Amino acid sequence: MSAKHLSRIGLAGNCLKTFQRSILRGLSSVSVKGRSCLTLKDFSPREIQKILWVSADLKERIKREKQHVPLLRGKSAALIFEKRSTRTRMSTETGLALLGGHPCFLAPQDIHLGVNETCADTARVLSGMCDLVLARVQRHATLEELQKASSVPVVNGLSDLYHPIQILADFLTLQEHYGSLAGLTLCWIGDGNNVLHSFMMTAPKLGVHLKIATPKGYEPNQSIVQEAEQLARKHGSQLWLTQDPTAAARDSDVLVTDTWVSMGQEDEKEKRLRDFRGFRVSAQMTGTARPDWTFLHCLPRKKEEVDDEVFYSPRSLVFPEAENRKWTIMGLMASLLTDYQPQTPVPKF
Ligand code: CP
Ligand code: NVA
Protein backbone atom coordinates (compact mmCIF):
# COMPACT_ATOMS: atom_id res chain seq x y z
CA MET A 1 0.00 0.00 0.00
CA SER A 2 1.42 3.34 -1.03
CA ALA A 3 2.44 5.67 1.78
CA LYS A 4 1.53 8.47 -0.59
CA HIS A 5 -2.13 7.53 -0.50
CA LEU A 6 -2.54 6.47 3.06
CA SER A 7 -2.15 8.02 6.47
CA ARG A 8 -1.37 5.55 9.21
CA ILE A 9 -2.21 6.15 12.83
CA GLY A 10 -1.38 3.96 15.78
CA LEU A 11 0.62 0.80 16.19
CA ALA A 12 -0.54 -2.79 16.43
CA GLY A 13 1.39 -5.46 18.21
CA ASN A 14 1.74 -6.90 21.63
CA CYS A 15 -0.40 -4.20 23.13
CA LEU A 16 -3.37 -5.72 21.26
CA LYS A 17 -2.96 -8.96 23.18
CA THR A 18 -2.63 -7.14 26.49
CA PHE A 19 -5.70 -5.11 25.59
CA GLN A 20 -7.59 -8.30 24.73
CA ARG A 21 -6.73 -9.96 28.03
CA SER A 22 -7.69 -6.90 30.03
CA ILE A 23 -11.12 -6.49 28.47
CA LEU A 24 -12.06 -10.08 29.13
CA ARG A 25 -11.18 -9.82 32.81
CA GLY A 26 -14.30 -9.25 34.84
CA LEU A 27 -16.75 -8.86 31.92
CA SER A 28 -19.46 -10.33 34.16
CA SER A 29 -19.37 -7.27 36.42
CA VAL A 30 -19.90 -4.85 33.53
CA SER A 31 -23.39 -3.31 33.34
CA VAL A 32 -24.97 -0.71 31.07
CA LYS A 33 -28.38 -0.89 32.73
CA GLY A 34 -30.31 2.37 32.58
CA ARG A 35 -28.07 3.91 29.92
CA SER A 36 -29.09 5.29 26.53
CA CYS A 37 -27.34 4.30 23.30
CA LEU A 38 -27.10 7.22 20.91
CA THR A 39 -23.60 6.31 19.78
CA LEU A 40 -21.10 3.58 20.68
CA LYS A 41 -18.63 6.42 21.23
CA ASP A 42 -20.11 6.57 24.76
CA PHE A 43 -19.39 2.90 25.48
CA SER A 44 -16.13 1.39 26.67
CA PRO A 45 -14.59 -1.69 25.01
CA ARG A 46 -15.80 -3.89 27.85
CA GLU A 47 -19.33 -2.47 27.67
CA ILE A 48 -19.49 -3.20 23.93
CA GLN A 49 -18.12 -6.69 24.53
CA LYS A 50 -20.71 -7.29 27.23
CA ILE A 51 -23.58 -6.29 24.91
CA LEU A 52 -22.18 -8.62 22.22
CA TRP A 53 -21.87 -11.42 24.77
CA VAL A 54 -25.50 -10.97 25.89
CA SER A 55 -26.55 -10.97 22.21
CA ALA A 56 -24.62 -14.16 21.42
CA ASP A 57 -26.00 -15.77 24.57
CA LEU A 58 -29.61 -14.96 23.67
CA LYS A 59 -29.05 -16.31 20.16
CA GLU A 60 -27.62 -19.54 21.54
CA ARG A 61 -30.33 -20.03 24.14
CA ILE A 62 -33.33 -19.04 22.04
CA LYS A 63 -32.37 -20.02 18.48
CA ARG A 64 -30.24 -23.12 19.07
CA GLU A 65 -31.50 -24.44 22.41
CA LYS A 66 -35.12 -23.38 21.81
CA GLN A 67 -35.37 -21.93 25.32
CA HIS A 68 -38.07 -19.50 26.36
CA VAL A 69 -36.36 -16.39 27.75
CA PRO A 70 -39.01 -13.85 28.78
CA LEU A 71 -36.49 -11.31 30.09
CA LEU A 72 -38.55 -8.29 29.08
CA ARG A 73 -41.99 -9.51 30.13
CA GLY A 74 -44.17 -6.54 31.08
CA LYS A 75 -41.86 -4.06 29.34
CA SER A 76 -42.75 -1.98 26.32
CA ALA A 77 -40.89 0.22 23.87
CA ALA A 78 -41.93 3.15 21.67
CA LEU A 79 -40.41 2.83 18.20
CA ILE A 80 -40.34 6.23 16.49
CA PHE A 81 -39.47 6.18 12.78
CA GLU A 82 -39.01 9.40 10.83
CA LYS A 83 -37.52 7.37 7.94
CA ARG A 84 -38.20 4.06 6.22
CA SER A 85 -36.97 0.77 7.67
CA THR A 86 -37.20 -2.97 7.11
CA ARG A 87 -34.50 -4.47 9.35
CA THR A 88 -34.53 -2.05 12.26
CA ARG A 89 -38.28 -2.13 12.62
CA MET A 90 -38.68 -5.89 12.16
CA SER A 91 -35.73 -6.86 14.35
CA THR A 92 -36.86 -4.62 17.19
CA GLU A 93 -40.54 -5.55 17.02
CA THR A 94 -39.97 -9.30 16.73
CA GLY A 95 -36.99 -9.28 19.12
CA LEU A 96 -38.86 -7.48 21.87
CA ALA A 97 -41.88 -9.74 21.43
CA LEU A 98 -39.62 -12.81 21.65
CA LEU A 99 -38.34 -11.58 25.02
CA GLY A 100 -41.93 -11.12 26.26
CA GLY A 101 -42.15 -7.35 25.73
CA HIS A 102 -44.47 -5.13 23.72
CA PRO A 103 -43.29 -2.83 20.89
CA CYS A 104 -45.36 0.16 19.72
CA PHE A 105 -44.48 1.35 16.21
CA LEU A 106 -44.94 5.10 15.68
CA ALA A 107 -44.67 6.30 12.08
CA PRO A 108 -44.20 10.03 11.38
CA GLN A 109 -47.88 10.47 10.55
CA ASP A 110 -48.89 8.73 13.82
CA ILE A 111 -47.06 10.86 16.34
CA HIS A 112 -47.02 14.57 17.18
CA LEU A 113 -43.20 14.67 17.51
CA GLY A 114 -41.84 17.71 15.73
CA VAL A 115 -45.26 18.66 14.35
CA ASN A 116 -47.18 20.08 17.26
CA GLU A 117 -45.31 18.73 20.27
CA THR A 118 -41.71 19.33 21.27
CA CYS A 119 -39.21 16.48 21.55
CA ALA A 120 -38.88 17.16 25.26
CA ASP A 121 -42.63 16.91 25.92
CA THR A 122 -42.87 13.76 23.78
CA ALA A 123 -40.00 12.22 25.74
CA ARG A 124 -41.61 13.08 29.08
CA VAL A 125 -44.93 11.53 28.01
CA LEU A 126 -43.35 8.37 26.56
CA SER A 127 -41.23 7.93 29.71
CA GLY A 128 -44.42 7.58 31.72
CA MET A 129 -45.79 4.89 29.42
CA CYS A 130 -42.94 2.70 28.24
CA ASP A 131 -39.54 1.41 29.30
CA LEU A 132 -37.43 2.32 26.27
CA VAL A 133 -37.62 4.64 23.26
CA LEU A 134 -35.95 3.67 19.97
CA ALA A 135 -35.93 6.45 17.38
CA ARG A 136 -34.83 6.65 13.74
CA VAL A 137 -34.47 10.36 13.07
CA GLN A 138 -33.50 12.86 10.40
CA ARG A 139 -31.25 14.87 12.73
CA HIS A 140 -29.04 13.42 15.47
CA ALA A 141 -29.99 16.47 17.60
CA THR A 142 -33.54 15.09 17.87
CA LEU A 143 -32.17 12.04 19.70
CA GLU A 144 -30.18 14.25 22.05
CA GLU A 145 -33.28 16.28 22.84
CA LEU A 146 -35.30 13.11 23.44
CA GLN A 147 -32.61 11.68 25.69
CA LYS A 148 -32.27 14.85 27.73
CA ALA A 149 -35.93 14.86 28.73
CA SER A 150 -36.42 11.09 28.92
CA SER A 151 -36.23 9.06 32.10
CA VAL A 152 -36.04 5.78 30.15
CA PRO A 153 -33.19 4.67 27.85
CA VAL A 154 -33.21 6.12 24.34
CA VAL A 155 -31.70 4.05 21.50
CA ASN A 156 -30.55 5.45 18.17
CA GLY A 157 -32.27 3.51 15.39
CA LEU A 158 -30.22 5.51 12.81
CA SER A 159 -29.51 9.21 12.56
CA ASP A 160 -27.65 11.34 10.03
CA LEU A 161 -24.52 10.88 12.17
CA TYR A 162 -24.52 7.32 13.52
CA HIS A 163 -26.09 3.86 13.21
CA PRO A 164 -24.81 2.08 16.35
CA ILE A 165 -27.20 -0.86 16.39
CA GLN A 166 -26.07 -1.84 12.89
CA ILE A 167 -22.47 -2.01 14.03
CA LEU A 168 -23.30 -4.29 16.97
CA ALA A 169 -24.79 -6.75 14.45
CA ASP A 170 -21.76 -6.42 12.19
CA PHE A 171 -19.29 -7.21 14.95
CA LEU A 172 -21.35 -10.15 16.21
CA THR A 173 -21.37 -11.50 12.63
CA LEU A 174 -17.60 -11.14 12.30
CA GLN A 175 -17.01 -12.66 15.73
CA GLU A 176 -19.08 -15.68 14.73
CA HIS A 177 -17.32 -16.05 11.39
CA TYR A 178 -13.70 -15.49 12.42
CA GLY A 179 -13.94 -16.74 16.01
CA SER A 180 -12.47 -13.46 17.35
CA LEU A 181 -12.23 -9.82 16.35
CA ALA A 182 -8.93 -8.37 17.56
CA GLY A 183 -6.40 -8.07 14.75
CA LEU A 184 -8.89 -8.16 11.85
CA THR A 185 -8.56 -5.50 9.16
CA LEU A 186 -11.82 -4.01 8.01
CA CYS A 187 -11.89 -2.01 4.78
CA TRP A 188 -14.68 0.49 4.11
CA ILE A 189 -15.16 1.46 0.47
CA GLY A 190 -17.81 4.10 -0.12
CA ASP A 191 -19.47 7.08 1.49
CA GLY A 192 -18.23 8.75 4.69
CA ASN A 193 -21.65 8.26 6.27
CA ASN A 194 -23.49 7.32 9.47
CA VAL A 195 -22.62 3.61 9.25
CA LEU A 196 -18.93 4.36 8.73
CA HIS A 197 -18.96 6.80 11.66
CA SER A 198 -20.24 4.03 13.91
CA PHE A 199 -17.50 1.67 12.71
CA MET A 200 -14.95 4.38 13.49
CA MET A 201 -16.24 4.76 17.05
CA THR A 202 -16.19 1.01 17.67
CA ALA A 203 -13.53 -0.85 15.67
CA PRO A 204 -10.48 0.61 17.48
CA LYS A 205 -12.02 -0.34 20.83
CA LEU A 206 -12.29 -3.95 19.66
CA GLY A 207 -8.74 -4.05 18.31
CA VAL A 208 -9.97 -4.02 14.69
CA HIS A 209 -7.85 -2.09 12.15
CA LEU A 210 -9.74 0.21 9.77
CA LYS A 211 -8.89 1.15 6.20
CA ILE A 212 -11.26 3.74 4.80
CA ALA A 213 -11.54 4.68 1.12
CA THR A 214 -13.96 7.49 0.26
CA PRO A 215 -14.14 9.70 -2.85
CA LYS A 216 -12.86 13.24 -2.55
CA GLY A 217 -15.55 15.37 -0.93
CA TYR A 218 -17.25 12.39 0.75
CA GLU A 219 -14.82 11.85 3.63
CA PRO A 220 -16.15 11.03 7.11
CA ASN A 221 -16.93 13.88 9.51
CA GLN A 222 -13.64 15.53 10.51
CA SER A 223 -14.29 15.57 14.25
CA ILE A 224 -15.18 11.87 14.13
CA VAL A 225 -11.91 11.22 12.25
CA GLN A 226 -10.03 12.98 15.05
CA GLU A 227 -11.82 10.96 17.72
CA ALA A 228 -11.11 7.74 15.81
CA GLU A 229 -7.43 8.68 15.54
CA GLN A 230 -7.29 9.13 19.29
CA LEU A 231 -9.06 5.81 19.86
CA ALA A 232 -6.66 4.04 17.47
CA ARG A 233 -3.67 5.45 19.34
CA LYS A 234 -5.18 4.56 22.71
CA HIS A 235 -6.06 0.98 21.76
CA GLY A 236 -3.06 0.23 19.56
CA SER A 237 -4.97 -0.33 16.34
CA GLN A 238 -4.44 1.17 12.88
CA LEU A 239 -6.57 3.67 11.04
CA TRP A 240 -5.95 4.42 7.36
CA LEU A 241 -7.69 7.04 5.24
CA THR A 242 -7.38 7.11 1.47
CA GLN A 243 -9.14 7.99 -1.78
CA ASP A 244 -7.86 4.81 -3.43
CA PRO A 245 -10.32 1.89 -3.02
CA THR A 246 -8.04 -0.64 -4.69
CA ALA A 247 -5.19 0.13 -2.33
CA ALA A 248 -7.52 -0.05 0.66
CA ALA A 249 -8.94 -3.46 -0.31
CA ARG A 250 -5.50 -5.05 -0.57
CA ASP A 251 -4.73 -7.43 2.33
CA SER A 252 -7.99 -6.66 4.14
CA ASP A 253 -10.05 -9.31 5.90
CA VAL A 254 -13.45 -7.66 5.62
CA LEU A 255 -14.73 -5.48 2.78
CA VAL A 256 -17.69 -3.28 3.70
CA THR A 257 -19.83 -0.81 1.87
CA ASP A 258 -23.22 0.87 2.09
CA THR A 259 -25.45 2.80 -0.26
CA TRP A 260 -23.93 5.83 -1.97
CA VAL A 261 -27.24 7.67 -1.52
CA SER A 262 -28.47 7.58 2.06
CA MET A 263 -32.07 8.32 3.00
CA GLY A 264 -32.63 12.05 2.63
CA GLN A 265 -29.94 12.45 -0.07
CA GLU A 266 -32.15 11.39 -2.99
CA ASP A 267 -31.79 14.80 -4.69
CA GLU A 268 -28.01 14.28 -4.92
CA LYS A 269 -28.33 10.86 -6.56
CA GLU A 270 -27.11 11.76 -10.05
CA LYS A 271 -24.05 13.63 -8.81
CA ARG A 272 -23.21 10.94 -6.29
CA LEU A 273 -23.37 8.17 -8.88
CA ARG A 274 -20.87 10.18 -10.95
CA ASP A 275 -18.59 11.01 -8.01
CA PHE A 276 -18.48 7.43 -6.69
CA ARG A 277 -17.35 5.91 -9.99
CA GLY A 278 -14.54 3.44 -9.23
CA PHE A 279 -15.81 2.79 -5.70
CA ARG A 280 -17.97 -0.24 -6.53
CA VAL A 281 -16.75 -3.24 -4.53
CA SER A 282 -15.69 -5.55 -7.33
CA ALA A 283 -14.61 -9.15 -7.71
CA GLN A 284 -11.23 -7.76 -8.76
CA MET A 285 -10.86 -6.01 -5.39
CA THR A 286 -11.70 -9.17 -3.48
CA GLY A 287 -8.89 -10.88 -5.40
CA THR A 288 -6.36 -8.67 -3.61
CA ALA A 289 -7.95 -9.04 -0.15
CA ARG A 290 -6.86 -11.81 2.24
CA PRO A 291 -7.87 -15.32 1.06
CA ASP A 292 -10.51 -15.66 3.78
CA TRP A 293 -12.07 -12.28 2.97
CA THR A 294 -15.70 -11.58 3.78
CA PHE A 295 -18.15 -8.93 2.68
CA LEU A 296 -20.62 -6.92 4.78
CA HIS A 297 -23.38 -4.50 3.78
CA CYS A 298 -25.97 -3.12 6.19
CA LEU A 299 -28.65 -3.27 3.44
CA PRO A 300 -30.71 -2.21 1.62
CA ARG A 301 -28.26 -2.75 -1.22
CA LYS A 302 -28.36 -0.96 -4.53
CA LYS A 303 -26.73 -2.46 -7.59
CA GLU A 304 -24.15 0.24 -8.13
CA GLU A 305 -22.11 -0.15 -4.94
CA VAL A 306 -21.17 -3.85 -5.23
CA ASP A 307 -20.87 -6.52 -7.91
CA ASP A 308 -23.46 -9.33 -7.74
CA GLU A 309 -20.51 -11.70 -7.81
CA VAL A 310 -19.37 -10.29 -4.44
CA PHE A 311 -22.76 -9.62 -2.88
CA TYR A 312 -24.05 -13.16 -3.54
CA SER A 313 -20.69 -14.86 -3.09
CA PRO A 314 -20.41 -17.67 -0.50
CA ARG A 315 -17.97 -15.32 1.30
CA SER A 316 -20.63 -12.63 1.66
CA LEU A 317 -22.10 -12.42 5.17
CA VAL A 318 -24.87 -9.95 4.37
CA PHE A 319 -27.83 -12.18 5.28
CA PRO A 320 -26.43 -13.55 8.58
CA GLU A 321 -25.52 -9.90 9.27
CA ALA A 322 -29.16 -8.88 8.71
CA GLU A 323 -30.40 -11.67 11.00
CA ASN A 324 -27.97 -10.56 13.68
CA ARG A 325 -29.75 -7.20 13.78
CA LYS A 326 -32.40 -9.10 15.73
CA TRP A 327 -30.09 -10.83 18.23
CA THR A 328 -28.09 -7.68 18.89
CA ILE A 329 -31.05 -5.36 19.41
CA MET A 330 -32.37 -8.00 21.82
CA GLY A 331 -28.98 -8.07 23.54
CA LEU A 332 -28.89 -4.30 23.73
CA MET A 333 -32.45 -3.94 25.08
CA ALA A 334 -31.85 -6.70 27.65
CA SER A 335 -28.61 -4.99 28.70
CA LEU A 336 -30.19 -1.53 29.03
CA LEU A 337 -33.29 -2.76 30.87
CA THR A 338 -32.16 -5.66 33.09
CA ASP A 339 -29.30 -7.08 35.14
CA TYR A 340 -29.22 -10.19 32.94
CA GLN A 341 -26.01 -12.22 33.11
CA PRO A 342 -25.30 -14.49 30.13
CA GLN A 343 -25.44 -18.21 30.85
CA THR A 344 -23.15 -19.25 27.99
CA PRO A 345 -19.35 -18.85 28.03
CA VAL A 346 -17.77 -15.51 27.07
CA PRO A 347 -16.98 -15.54 23.33
CA LYS A 348 -13.40 -14.84 22.31
CA PHE A 349 -13.18 -11.22 21.26
N1 CP B 1 -29.64 -1.66 7.85
C1 CP B 1 -30.78 -1.07 8.23
O1 CP B 1 -30.83 -0.29 9.19
O2 CP B 1 -31.87 -1.42 7.50
P1 CP B 1 -33.30 -0.76 7.54
O3 CP B 1 -33.17 0.63 6.96
O4 CP B 1 -34.15 -1.67 6.71
O5 CP B 1 -33.78 -0.69 8.97
N1 NVA C 1 -26.51 5.07 5.23
C1 NVA C 1 -27.84 4.54 5.04
C2 NVA C 1 -28.05 3.38 5.95
C3 NVA C 1 -29.36 2.68 5.75
C4 NVA C 1 -29.57 1.55 6.72
C5 NVA C 1 -28.87 5.62 5.30
O1 NVA C 1 -28.67 6.42 6.22
O2 NVA C 1 -29.85 5.68 4.57
Side-chain angles (χ1 to χ4, degrees):
M1 188 168 298
S2 158
K4 197 169 140 203
H5 290 112
L6 300 171
S7 71
R8 177 180 161 173
I9 296 120
L11 280 175
N14 281 342
C15 53
L16 259 185
K17 288 191 190 120
T18 316
F19 153 83
Q20 183 70 10
R21 274 196 300 274
S22 71
I23 52 177
L24 290 181
R25 262 199 301 270
L27 210 53
S28 303
S29 62
V30 173
S31 171
V32 295
K33 189 178 173 191
R35 301 256 301 272
S36 285
C37 179
L38 269 45
T39 161
L40 292 170
K41 173 176 149 182
D42 301 337
F43 287 73
S44 71
R46 293 201 317 161
E47 288 167 345
I48 296 168
Q49 302 248 359
K50 182 66 181 281
I51 296 164
L52 292 175
W53 182 18
V54 173
S55 307
D57 171 89
L58 292 175
K59 186 173 183 180
E60 176 65 26
R61 292 186 59 198
I62 298 172
K63 184 177 179 183
R64 306 224 168 76
E65 296 172 10
K66 310 283 179 225
Q67 292 185 32
H68 180 50
V69 188
L71 274 180
L72 300 181
R73 188 165 38 209
K75 304 224 185 273
S76 57
L79 315 181
I80 300 172
F81 281 77
E82 293 184 343
K83 294 179 174 181
R84 296 181 299 274
S85 168
T86 301
R87 282 141 287 269
T88 305
R89 177 179 179 182
M90 274 305 289
S91 57
T92 311
E93 288 204 23
T94 58
L96 183 51
L98 200 48
L99 293 174
H102 180 76
C104 299
F105 177 72
L106 301 165
Q109 66 273 19
D110 298 339
I111 185 167
H112 293 291
L113 181 76
V115 181
N116 57 0
E117 187 161 60
T118 64
C119 282
D121 286 353
T122 303
R124 286 182 193 110
V125 170
L126 293 178
S127 297
M129 296 181 182
C130 66
D131 303 279
L132 181 139
V133 175
L134 179 141
R136 169 167 285 198
V137 296
Q138 308 280 359
R139 297 163 41 253
H140 193 76
T142 303
L143 285 168
E144 292 171 340
E145 289 166 36
L146 283 171
Q147 186 199 3
K148 220 164 138 193
S150 174
S151 58
V152 300
V154 176
V155 173
N156 180 357
L158 180 145
S159 70
D160 51 340
L161 214 50
Y162 293 113
H163 194 4
I165 55 177
Q166 177 66 51
I167 266 39
L168 290 174
D170 291 3
F171 281 117
L172 178 63
T173 308
L174 294 176
Q175 196 285 329
E176 289 173 338
H177 181 83
Y178 288 103
S180 64
L181 295 171
L184 288 177
T185 298
L186 190 145
C187 168
W188 176 273
I189 296 174
D191 193 15
N193 67 12
N194 45 6
V195 177
L196 173 60
H197 291 159
S198 284
F199 270 119
M200 293 169 75
M201 290 299 100
T202 314
K205 294 178 187 173
L206 298 173
V208 172
H209 310 301
L210 265 184
K211 294 199 269 183
I212 297 168
T214 50
K216 192 167 163 39
Y218 296 92
E219 294 83 5
N221 176 302
Q222 199 44 45
S223 72
I224 293 176
V225 171
Q226 282 166 11
E227 295 239 19
E229 286 173 353
Q230 280 174 16
L231 284 175
R233 271 193 288 272
K234 182 171 171 194
H235 297 292
S237 67
Q238 295 172 346
L239 174 67
W240 310 72
L241 296 163
T242 179
Q243 290 169 8
D244 182 342
T246 311
R250 198 169 301 129
D251 296 326
S252 293
D253 296 292
V254 188
L255 303 179
V256 194
T257 193
D258 181 15
T259 181
W260 297 343
V261 188
S262 282
M263 289 181 274
Q265 297 172 335
E266 288 80 3
D267 291 350
E268 301 169 31
K269 183 170 177 183
E270 230 171 274
K271 177 170 165 34
R272 282 176 168 264
L273 293 192
R274 268 198 317 273
D275 294 346
F276 280 76
R277 245 178 239 146
F279 279 75
R280 171 195 280 234
V281 179
S282 64
Q284 206 180 352
M285 286 176 190
T286 63
T288 68
R290 297 223 172 111
D292 61 348
W293 64 272
T294 54
F295 175 73
L296 293 181
H297 190 309
C298 65
L299 310 179
R301 172 250 182 161
K302 296 180 194 86
K303 282 270 190 184
E304 58 266 14
E305 64 252 8
V306 53
D307 282 354
D308 272 0
E309 214 177 327
V310 176
F311 187 77
Y312 293 111
S313 143
R315 306 214 64 79
S316 168
L317 298 177
V318 296
F319 296 110
E321 177 189 9
E323 182 193 323
N324 277 337
R325 291 294 309 278
K326 178 162 170 166
W327 302 108
T328 46
I329 192 63
M330 288 164 68
L332 180 64
M333 290 189 294
S335 301
L336 301 179
L337 294 178
T338 75
D339 289 312
Y340 179 68
Q341 284 299 335
Q343 299 184 10
T344 54
V346 189
K348 190 166 172 241
F349 290 111

